[in-house]
Amino acid sequence: MSNTSVIPTNDFEKIILERRSIKSYNPDVIISREEMEDMLKKATRAPSSTNMQPWHFLIIQSAESKAKLLEVASPTNHVKLETASAAIAIFGDLHYTTRAEEIYSTNVELGYVTEEMKERQLAAVLQWNSPKTEEQRRDIVMTDCGLVAMQLMLVARSHGYDTNPINGYDKTRINEAFGLDKKRYAPVMLLALGKAADEGFPTMRLSPDKIAQWL
Ligand SMILES: Cc1cc2nc3c(=O)[nH]c(=O)nc-3n(C[C@H](O)[C@H](O)[C@H](O)COP(=O)(O)O)c2cc1C
């Protein structure tokens, strides 16, 4: 099916205020690899601690891979994951410093920093990150991956799609299901992403006086 019913928007208020977690999607809408990569490029403009970009995405679209995912997903989440054009599993890469050299060298290639600045920055980044315990690294990747997940949800809306963030799955089994090293990749959340087939439910938000302190 062509995606003519998918209407992109740049209306920021509409993107954030009308976002709802969507429970079912039009299963006939196919999102191309090109468009998915475009959305990922935009989503990964999200900030991350020392720009380590410690995220890893599984873009699950084939029937075979979806079946694997459903085995570890709570039954309450099956319909959204089955009907979504893409079910996305987001993991935090606990070995994120292995990418430091590539990230900081690319800054030199792009002319953002000199070779000398890069060497200084890279040394500082490694000095900051290397002594971190696994618990501290988990904390860092969970924060960074939460930011990229939110950005992906908003980017999806700008492309005319909707999403549902999902924690209802077995995080102790998902690595094994997809052959990902448990010690390296920490499960963060799933996202169902596709063309909405329902309107979701209205939900309230606590007012600023309940959730903020002015000091
Ligand atoms: C980290 C996270 C995990 C969630 N897990 C689930 C889930 O497993 N199943 C589900 O239906 N919704 C899940 N939700 C959606 C929330 O229920 C929803 O965001 C909340 O009720 C507010 O509704 P809204 O997203 O429509 O504004 C999750 C949301 C977040 C942020």
Side-chain angles (χ1 to χ4, degrees):
M1 174 186 160
S2 80
N3 291 2
T4 46
S5 60
V6 177
I7 303 162
T9 175
N10 272 326
D11 184 335
F12 189 67
E13 295 267 305
K14 199 173 158 59
I15 287 170
I16 58 166
L17 297 179
E18 293 176 23
R19 185 206 56 78
R20 285 181 180 177
S21 291
I22 295 298
K23 309 300 170 192
S24 60
Y25 301 84
N26 180 339
D28 298 329
V29 170
I30 293 165
I31 301 179
S32 68
R33 169 86 177 246
E34 191 188 11
E35 185 174 18
M36 192 58 76
E37 284 187 358
D38 186 30
M39 287 194 278
L40 283 176
K41 278 185 188 164
K42 291 173 182 164
T44 55
R45 294 306 305 175
S48 61
S49 177
T50 58
N51 197 25
M52 285 294 96
Q53 306 165 47
W55 32 68
H56 187 76
F57 301 89
L58 298 184
I59 312 298
I60 300 166
Q61 290 176 299
S62 70
E64 193 192 347
S65 297
K66 274 204 179 171
K68 279 188 197 167
L69 184 63
L70 291 185
E71 275 179 30
V72 299
S74 314
T76 51
N77 288 317
H78 281 195
V79 170
K80 50 186 92 80
L81 292 168
E82 265 172 338
T83 56
S85 304
I88 301 176
I90 305 177
F91 294 82
D93 182 358
L94 298 168
H95 294 187
Y96 56 80
T97 49
T98 56
R99 289 193 178 147
E101 172 65 39
E102 181 185 352
I103 291 168
Y104 281 79
S105 295
T106 307
N107 280 337
V108 177
E109 280 161 33
L110 292 170
Y112 297 164
V113 293
T114 63
E115 183 66 37
E116 192 199 349
M117 281 159 76
K118 171 217 142 179
E119 287 304 332
R120 253 186 291 125
Q121 288 176 346
L122 187 58
V125 161
L126 294 175
Q127 195 182 17
W128 164 259
N129 284 296
S130 300
K132 300 258 179 272
T133 63
E134 191 191 315
E135 194 188 343
Q136 288 170 321
R137 282 166 188 255
R138 273 184 192 275
D139 186 40
I140 287 170
V141 305
M142 290 300 156
T143 307
D144 292 346
C145 290
L147 292 171
V148 83
M150 186 70 245
Q151 187 136 311
L152 182 52
M153 289 190 263
L154 299 181
V155 168
R157 278 189 57 73
S158 77
H159 278 240
Y161 302 112
D162 278 285
T163 56
N164 199 129
I166 294 172
N167 248 340
Y169 66 107
D170 191 341
K171 292 189 179 184
T172 66
R173 287 169 56 221
I174 189 164
N175 289 62
E176 212 173 10
F178 291 99
L180 280 184
D181 180 1
K182 249 186 184 166
K183 286 196 175 319
R184 175 163 184 177
Y185 296 104
V188 178
M189 73 176 86
L190 307 177
L191 284 184
L193 190 159
K195 171 71 188 149
D198 66 63
E199 293 181 348
F201 303 103
T203 53
M204 65 77 74
R205 292 299 185 269
L206 299 167
S207 60
D209 60 303
K210 301 246 173 60
I211 50 109
Q213 282 179 288
W214 275 262
L215 304 172

